[in-house]
Amino acid sequence: NCFDFTSFDGYSFEYDITVDGESLEKKIVRLNTRPGETFVLTPSAALPESCRFGCFITVKMTDLDGNEVGRLQEEIPAEKATNEITAEPLSVTETEFEITAQGEDFCYVLSKQTGFFESILKNGEELLTEPMKLSYFRAPTDNDRNIRVYWDRTNIWQGENFDCVFNKVYSFKIQGNKISFDMSSAGVSRLPFFKYTLSYEFFADGSVKTQLCGDIRENVFWLPRLGFELTLPLTDGKFKYFGNGPLESYCDMTHHGVVAVHSSDAGSEYVNYVRPQEHGNHTNVHYAAVYDILGRGLLFEGADTFEFKASHYSAAELTEKQLNVDLEADERTFVRIDYKVGGIGSNSCGPQLAEAYQLNDKHIEFAFSIRPIILDNADPIDVV
């Protein structure tokens, strides 16, 4: 009890031990611990030796009126099962410009010229309205006003032009169910800032193991973000994810959330800033399922954690419009599956973003799987 004069009399403490989002033990306790003293509780639940996504304990403190006045979440050490795809490898076919992987109720079309998916079909229905892309830009925030000259076309001499990036394919090879592209990314009229290998492995259950491995040029200033963008024809844009939530989070603003299974939709993620800007990101995500009212969509599962966002506003819309009243929501859903997103900071009136929260990694390794889904029940992992 860190109060100077007040005991814990009248306060309630609730702890919840969860394994992969499922509650293992939940209990409310009330104590009269004096200032400066400590109380210890020993949960009775037998903790698992292993789990799939994570084992956590969350403690909430509430006052007499039921208001939450404190929260703490800690991860409990437990061995995590490897996220290996057990389905049979799926053979691919190729034409002059495309590579196709087709299964019983799904079909992927991969462009040889761009290295990205042009089409993903589930039961004959298209799940992409635009080709997938690897991107690095996010709509600048008020706190990015000093750094954005190194990111976009604000300063034609210094910026890397992350808001106008071209991805170039140098070569590719097909080895069974695996396709690998040697590629680079460069802002318009700039040297390449990222040279990488992008590979896809196709499996009979519709899963695609996606791996990105490469290096950032040494003299590149820290990036706004790095990850993949997909545009889905989902007017409602519902989603579930196991990660930090339910509110938006960034690497330097996470303590207000808890890692759990959260549900939302693209419209609800909008934050009504007077000046449109970046918002709605989620950190420490293990999986995310984005789907329509009938449960049709895509499931993303990370080899490790990733960052995730779903919105009805593109980065271009949020960047170009100066006032919130001018924004026009798209009927589609823009989805980001990110390796990392740079922190928000306070540079509109404070110091530059602390180095610990800058995306200044020079070697990138990122892996996740994609799978077209139809939700079978409330758990997005149990899908058909």
Side-chain angles (χ1 to χ4, degrees):
N1 181 354
C2 293
F3 287 139
D4 289 327
F5 308 105
T6 306
S7 76
F8 281 160
D9 185 29
Y11 291 95
S12 297
F13 295 85
E14 177 185 276
Y15 71 83
D16 188 11
I17 300 174
T18 60
V19 179
D20 296 336
E22 296 292 330
S23 182
L24 188 65
E25 180 177 335
K26 193 172 186 177
K27 189 174 181 180
I28 297 176
V29 295
R30 296 178 177 85
L31 305 103
N32 189 21
T33 307
R34 296 168 59 84
E37 294 184 353
T38 300
F39 71 87
V40 177
L41 291 175
T42 303
S44 59
L47 298 178
E49 295 182 358
S50 64
C51 58
R52 185 172 180 184
F53 302 114
C55 183
F56 296 87
I57 180 166
T58 306
V59 182
K60 297 180 182 180
M61 179 181 179
T62 56
D63 62 17
L64 283 169
D65 298 321
N67 301 308
E68 184 177 316
V69 295
R71 180 191 297 177
L72 173 69
Q73 184 179 64
E74 295 286 347
E75 185 166 5
I76 300 171
E79 183 179 347
K80 294 182 183 177
T82 57
N83 178 25
E84 290 296 329
I85 300 171
T86 58
E88 292 293 319
L90 179 68
S91 60
V92 301
T93 59
E94 61 175 317
T95 61
E96 184 178 2
F97 297 111
E98 296 175 339
I99 299 168
T100 301
Q102 186 163 2
E104 182 178 348
D105 58 358
F106 64 89
C107 181
Y108 292 91
V109 179
L110 188 60
S111 170
K112 291 181 177 179
Q113 294 182 301
T114 67
F116 301 114
F117 289 120
E118 292 185 332
S119 172
I120 302 177
L121 297 173
K122 176 69 172 180
N123 292 338
E125 295 191 23
E126 182 60 64
L127 295 175
L128 296 181
T129 62
E130 294 181 8
M132 183 180 80
K133 61 182 179 180
L134 181 63
S135 62
Y136 310 87
F137 189 69
R138 59 170 170 80
T141 67
D142 291 337
N143 291 333
D144 296 327
R145 66 179 186 174
N146 295 317
I147 189 63
R148 67 177 296 176
V149 296
Y150 297 98
W151 288 350
D152 60 17
R153 289 166 284 176
T154 302
N155 185 323
I156 63 172
W157 304 112
Q158 292 179 298
E160 289 286 349
N161 296 343
F162 291 135
D163 57 336
C164 190
V165 165
F166 292 88
N167 294 285
K168 179 178 176 62
V169 174
Y170 296 102
S171 64
F172 74 91
K173 59 183 177 182
I174 302 175
Q175 296 175 302
N177 70 323
K178 183 176 182 179
I179 298 92
S180 298
F181 293 87
D182 288 324
M183 302 179 64
S184 72
S185 295
V188 62
S189 301
R190 295 292 185 266
L191 285 171
F193 62 85
F194 185 34
K195 293 185 177 181
Y196 57 92
T197 298
L198 177 59
S199 65
Y200 307 90
E201 291 181 67
F202 296 91
F203 296 89
D205 67 346
S207 297
V208 183
K209 185 178 180 180
T210 306
Q211 292 182 292
L212 176 70
C213 182
D215 295 288
I216 303 290
R217 200 179 75 231
E218 280 299 322
N219 64 342
V220 173
F221 213 76
W222 58 280
L223 278 64
R225 49 171 286 273
L226 191 161
F228 294 86
E229 290 188 50
L230 302 95
T231 306
L232 281 59
L234 308 180
T235 56
D236 38 8
K238 296 178 178 294
F239 64 87
K240 288 188 178 182
Y241 66 98
F242 185 84
N244 191 298
L247 302 177
E248 65 175 6
S249 62
Y250 292 81
C251 61
D252 59 343
M253 44 180 287
T254 61
H255 294 308
H256 60 289
V258 294
V259 177
V261 178
H262 301 285
S263 299
S264 186
D265 60 79
S268 300
E269 294 294 287
Y270 172 62
V271 180
N272 190 26
Y273 294 111
V274 174
R275 183 192 297 274
Q277 54 195 282
E278 162 70 18
H279 63 271
N281 189 65
H282 296 283
T283 59
N284 203 19
V285 176
H286 296 71
Y287 71 77
V290 189
Y291 50 93
D292 64 14
I293 195 170
L294 299 177
R296 300 170 298 190
L298 291 172
L299 172 67
F300 305 92
E301 188 170 350
D304 198 349
T305 58
F306 58 94
E307 301 194 34
F308 164 78
K309 175 181 176 177
S311 176
H312 286 313
Y313 299 96
S314 67
E317 176 74 6
L318 293 170
T319 302
E320 293 167 5
K321 300 297 175 64
Q322 297 301 305
L323 292 172
N324 53 359
V325 294
D326 297 325
L327 282 176
E328 296 181 27
D330 201 297
E331 291 187 353
R332 302 169 298 173
T333 298
F334 301 97
V335 174
R336 291 192 331 213
I337 305 297
D338 284 332
Y339 164 73
K340 286 183 182 179
V341 179
I344 297 300
S346 59
N347 200 210
S348 63
C349 59
Q352 178 177 281
L353 181 69
E355 187 175 348
Y357 304 116
Q358 298 173 6
L359 205 182
N360 50 21
D361 300 11
K362 294 303 179 184
H363 181 70
I364 309 298
E365 291 189 17
F366 182 39
F368 64 96
S369 65
I370 307 172
R371 181 154 58 100
I373 58 170
I374 300 176
L375 291 187
D376 192 25
N377 54 40
D379 185 352
I381 294 299
D382 295 332
V383 295
V384 294

